Amino acid sequence: MSEWPLPDFEQKICPPEKLAERLAALPRPLVFTNGCFDILHRGHVTYLAQARATGAAMVLALNTDASVRRQGKGSDRPINPLANRAAVAAALDSVDLVTWFDDDTPAALIAAVQPDVLVKGGDWPVDKIVGAAEVAAQGGRVYSIPFIHQTSTTQTLAKIRAAEAAEQ
């Protein structure tokens, strides 16, 4: 074969401007979650699977690279650019659609998606989740899923950096 086709998961990646037409094809209840998902780890995939279990389909909205940098996670973050983070997330069975947002919060995107279920990780109390009041006011559910695995990209990077420093 002279040319290999792109894997099917690539079709799950959806620019925000095409989101409306893609949302109509997703079954309800529709779950929405968001984050950086820079270096995917066990905590991420467990969380995403648990979030997806709260509905029939799930949209994952990723922070753009500029949005990640504004969060103060470090001058070299994200490690992986948006296109790579989107492809890796789209490869997960728990994720039905991947899109992104450049704002500091996903509030406008949540308003556009109008999910039935809004989910964030356990470091977000329900009353602090962006869009929670709006989703609840429309009869939707909002969850903060407690962490099972105490892993984080920041901790992983710290280990890598410590090992590199020890080698020098």
Side-chain angles (χ1 to χ4, degrees):
M1 179 178 237
S2 63
E3 198 171 312
W4 293 91
L6 286 174
D8 287 344
F9 69 77
E10 294 276 353
Q11 296 173 21
K12 293 189 207 175
I13 302 170
C14 178
E17 61 273 11
K18 295 189 178 185
L19 197 54
E21 62 193 65
R22 297 286 300 274
L23 288 173
L26 294 178
R28 294 279 184 159
L30 182 62
V31 180
F32 180 98
T33 192
N34 67 279
C36 300
F37 297 92
D38 190 2
I39 298 176
L40 215 55
H41 54 68
R42 186 179 187 184
H44 286 140
V45 297
T46 299
Y47 163 76
L48 290 169
Q50 291 173 315
R52 171 61 172 76
T54 66
M58 184 169 72
V59 173
L60 171 61
L62 299 174
N63 294 75
T64 62
D65 297 348
S67 177
V68 172
R69 283 190 288 277
R70 290 193 303 270
Q71 289 185 356
K73 291 178 177 274
S75 60
D76 61 346
R77 299 285 301 278
I79 299 297
N80 291 300
L82 176 61
N84 292 355
R85 292 183 286 123
V88 170
L92 298 173
D93 287 340
S94 59
V95 177
D96 295 283
L97 202 60
V98 178
T99 192
W100 52 88
F101 61 99
D102 193 45
D103 297 331
D104 290 341
T105 75
L109 193 55
I110 293 167
V113 171
Q114 295 191 343
D116 304 295
V117 183
L118 179 60
V119 182
K120 285 293 284 179
D123 54 339
W124 286 88
V126 170
D127 65 332
K128 299 287 187 209
I129 296 174
V130 171
E134 294 79 1
V135 170
Q138 295 175 351
R141 295 171 285 148
V142 180
Y143 298 108
S144 175
I145 299 178
F147 296 133
I148 294 175
H149 306 289
Q150 299 307 313
T151 57
S152 80
T153 299
T154 301
Q155 290 171 344
T156 300
L157 288 172
K159 274 178 87 170
I160 291 168
R161 291 174 178 139
E164 285 176 345
E167 290 176 4
Q168 294 177 353

